[in-house]
Each structure stands twice: as C-alpha cells, then as structure tokens.
Amino acid sequence: MPALFEPLKLRSLELKHRGWVSPMCQYSCGPDGAPGVPNDWHLMHLGSFATGGAALILTEAAAVNPQGRISPRDAGLYNDEQAGAWQRITGFVHRHGAADTKIGVQLAHAGRKASTYWPFSGQRGSVPESDGGWSTVGPSRSAFDGYAEPAGMTGEQIHGVISDFAAAAVRAVDAGFDTVEIHGAHGYLLHQFQSPLINTRTDAWGGTEEGRNKLMLAVIDAVRNVIPESMPLLLRISATDWARGGVDLQASVRLAAQAAERGVDLVDVSSGGAVAHQDIKPGPGYQTGFSERIRREAGVPTGTVGLLTSADQAEHAVATGQADGVFIARAALRDPHWWLRAAFQLGHELAWPPQYDRAMPRHSF
C-alpha cells in the first residue's frame, strides 16, 4: 500500500488515509446573509472534497468572535446561527464522503490583520467602519503593512479571547466536527503574540519566549479542556517568520513539544505571514523540512503543506518520514477529486461515490 494511503488514528479519530484538505479562506459569507454564517458556497466547496476522496477536510478559518474575522466576509463560530449552518455542512460530509471523510474546523482570531478587504474586492488594506469594518487589536500598537494600527490588548481582553476560543470549540463539538484546529500561524493573533517582531510587550504576555508563547499555550489548554478526551486537537503554526529576529525553526520545535505535552495531537506546519518584509523562496516541498524537524525533534505527528501538487510528491513526503499527512490546497481547488486521482496514480483502490461509479477509471485518469 502506498504510504499516502495508509490509515492514521489520532485518539479515537480514524482517518482512511493521509491526504487531507488544507484550510482555505473563501471570503464568501454574506453580503446578504448574516455575518460569519457559512452558506451554499461553503457546502458545495467543502462537499466537493468529500466526494473527491479526501480523508480529512479542514474548514477555512472560523473566527472566535466578530472582531477576529479577517474580513467582513469571513466565517465565524461565535453564535448559534453559525453553528447550525456548519452542522448542515458536517452532516453532508459525513453522509457523502467517499473515504469515510472526517471534517475539522480551524478556529482563529486575525488580530491586527482583521477587518481587511477580501482578495477579490478590488481594494486592499483595512476596511473602515463606514464600510462595515471595525477597530482591531494586537499584542502591541504595531500595524501590519498598510493596515490600520491596532490597539494593544489589555489583560482582560486577552483572557476574553481565550474564553472565546473555548466557547467556539464547544460549538464545534455540537456542530458535529470531528476535530478542531487552532490557528497559530500566518501572522494572525496567536502568531502575533509569538513573534518577537510584533510582540513588544514587557508584561507576562511578552518579553521572553515563554511570555510570547503564553497565549498560544493558554488557548491550547482552554480548548483541550472543553472538547472530548477522544477528540484530537490540531495546531497550525508558522515554523519560521522568514525574517531576521523573528520566529525560527528551533523556537517552533520547542513550541511544538510544549503543545504536545498539553494535548495537541498533530502540528500542521506552515510558515510566514507575520511581517511584510519576509524573505521566502517558495518551491515544491519547500516546507517539508520544517515538518520533518518538528516531527523528529518534538516527537509529535505533523502535517505538511506548500506547493505539493502531485501524488508522487505527497507520497514521498509521507514515505520518507517528513510528515504523517499532507494537506492539499491550491491543487484541490484545481481538481476537487485530487485524492481519487492520486490513488489511481499510486495503484491504490479508493472507493468512489456510487453516483460516479460509471466514471471510475480502468486504464488512465
């Protein structure tokens, strides 16, 4: 059996194989519906990956409070209407997943990168309150490139965000999600606190690596305490800021080890996003080395992501121990049946939806 199609068990969650869907923001909530509520677009988008053979789907970032949304069109999981809409989607995935597909939600707060225009709006930067935007917060009064300056968070606000993550996790369980991922990457709030390039606080929430990691670990504890013991907890991190003086790989190894001690079952390893002056030289598999180091040195299962587009690339990453699973993103947008194609190309028989059985390839795909 190809390594990519070996099963994996995380706590009581059994995944049919190691080919997964990476979180991808759709910026498609509203404008007609209630803020943060996923709709038919999300059902179609995520459902297509389920019928396409993915073993695990992670949703786009779902904000834990209204101010945590990346844009006015981003999803949330901070009220019951949003939870009910997500439940419709988890039910579809569970009923129609070709590979007994599981689905998890990514919980997030965008911090100083919140209240921005969505990519296809034709505009860039922070959305003013007159156009549906809001004031943002961060660890310090330091703005991201071209965005509005955030307010430095008070201790009360920090504890409020921790509680918001926990409340969103409870809603995630009630909405039928199989797992929860905490978004600690890409320059959003938890990563902002972690990065010395952004967090200039001198109180207990900054000053040292221990202080800068405190919010990330507190959120992990809060979420782990409210989800079932049998449910795995995932954490997405940026392994490096790609900038001098920022988070580096060894710091991420230490963070991952602490996260595992607190009950994180898999670290979803990405990189970058903290600052605009990052120096990234992307290429196929350019992040797999980060995943391998964290997996080996922190002793925690990892997922890898980033310009892995072919079945052979994904197979190599798993077979050589660079990761326990591969998250597919842009390649999945181009081909929502990526996993059915990959199984065929690697000589593995993966169940097809019965409605598509007549199209099952025999000699080529």
Side-chain angles (χ1 to χ4, degrees), residues 52-111:
L56 172 65
I57 298 168
L58 291 185
T59 73
E60 64 191 86
V64 299
N65 63 36
Q67 294 74 33
R69 290 172 294 154
I70 301 169
S71 82
R73 293 198 177 185
D74 275 64
L77 191 46
Y78 51 82
N79 63 42
D80 292 342
E81 185 178 1
Q82 293 161 355
W86 282 119
Q87 188 169 33
R88 174 174 173 245
I89 293 169
T90 62
F92 180 93
V93 168
H94 291 147
R95 286 193 304 274
H96 299 295
D100 190 21
T101 307
K102 309 301 182 185
I103 182 169
V105 63
Q106 185 187 65
L107 300 180
H109 190 297

Side-chain angles (χ1 to χ4, degrees), residues 7-341:
L8 178 68
K9 187 172 184 178
L10 299 171
R11 297 197 182 225
S12 67
L13 183 63
E14 296 184 2
L15 302 176
K16 292 294 185 181
H17 58 76
R18 283 115 184 289
W20 310 327
V21 179
S22 191
M24 292 178 280
C25 287
Q26 297 298 292
Y27 308 100
S28 295
C29 293
D32 299 325
V37 177
N39 51 45
D40 286 350
W41 175 265
H42 301 85
L43 177 68
M44 180 279 300
H45 167 67
L46 298 170
S48 67
F49 301 138
T51 59
L56 172 65
I57 298 168
L58 291 185
T59 73
E60 64 191 86
V64 299
N65 63 36
Q67 294 74 33
R69 290 172 294 154
I70 301 169
S71 82
R73 293 198 177 185
D74 275 64
L77 191 46
Y78 51 82
N79 63 42
D80 292 342
E81 185 178 1
Q82 293 161 355
W86 282 119
Q87 188 169 33
R88 174 174 173 245
I89 293 169
T90 62
F92 180 93
V93 168
H94 291 147
R95 286 193 304 274
H96 299 295
D100 190 21
T101 307
K102 309 301 182 185
I103 182 169
V105 63
Q106 185 187 65
L107 300 180
H109 190 297
R112 70 175 190 165
K113 294 175 80 173
S115 187
T116 60
Y117 284 103
W118 49 102
F120 44 89
S121 69
Q123 302 182 75
R124 186 186 180 279
S126 298
V127 180
E129 292 188 29
S130 60
D131 200 16
W134 55 90
S135 298
T136 60
V137 296
S140 312
R141 295 181 66 87
S142 170
F144 187 71
D145 181 47
Y147 292 5
E149 181 181 280
M153 294 178 71
T154 65
E156 183 179 1
Q157 287 174 315
I158 291 171
H159 285 289
V161 164
I162 295 169
S163 296
D164 289 340
F165 268 94
V170 171
R171 285 194 170 90
V173 174
D174 293 341
F177 284 104
D178 301 295
T179 186
V180 169
E181 178 174 272
I182 296 169
H183 197 352
H186 300 164
Y188 297 123
L189 185 65
L190 303 188
H191 184 197
Q192 290 164 26
F193 269 82
Q194 181 198 7
S195 176
L197 297 175
I198 305 170
N199 185 349
T200 58
R201 301 175 74 100
T202 57
D203 63 3
W205 303 97
T208 63
E209 182 177 303
E210 180 182 6
R212 291 190 298 272
N213 288 346
K214 185 177 178 180
L215 178 57
M216 184 99 70
L217 298 176
V219 167
I220 290 169
D221 288 343
V223 172
R224 182 73 267 175
N225 286 338
V226 298
I227 63 175
E229 178 66 24
S230 59
M231 176 181 282
L233 177 61
L234 281 55
L235 173 68
R236 172 164 268 199
I237 64 170
S238 282
T240 173
D241 283 345
W242 296 102
R244 185 182 299 275
V247 171
D248 60 21
L249 180 55
Q250 201 54 51
S252 291
V253 169
R254 292 190 291 270
L255 173 65
Q258 291 178 289
E261 290 174 357
R262 285 169 157 79
V264 166
D265 300 287
L266 183 138
V267 178
D268 177 0
V269 183
S270 188
S271 67
V275 292
H277 63 273
Q278 60 188 6
D279 183 18
I280 301 180
K281 297 178 176 62
Y286 74 106
Q287 297 181 127
T288 58
F290 303 147
S291 171
E292 189 277 331
R293 277 278 301 279
I294 289 170
R295 184 177 187 264
R296 172 166 46 86
E297 296 184 19
V300 61
T302 61
T304 190
V305 67
L307 295 181
L308 296 169
T309 60
S310 73
D312 288 339
Q313 288 173 322
E315 170 67 12
H316 178 76
V318 177
T320 57
Q322 296 176 73
D324 295 272
V326 175
F327 288 100
I328 302 298
R330 290 173 177 84
L333 297 181
R334 291 189 286 268
D335 178 8
H337 299 121
W338 188 94
W339 302 270
L340 296 178
R341 181 187 297 274

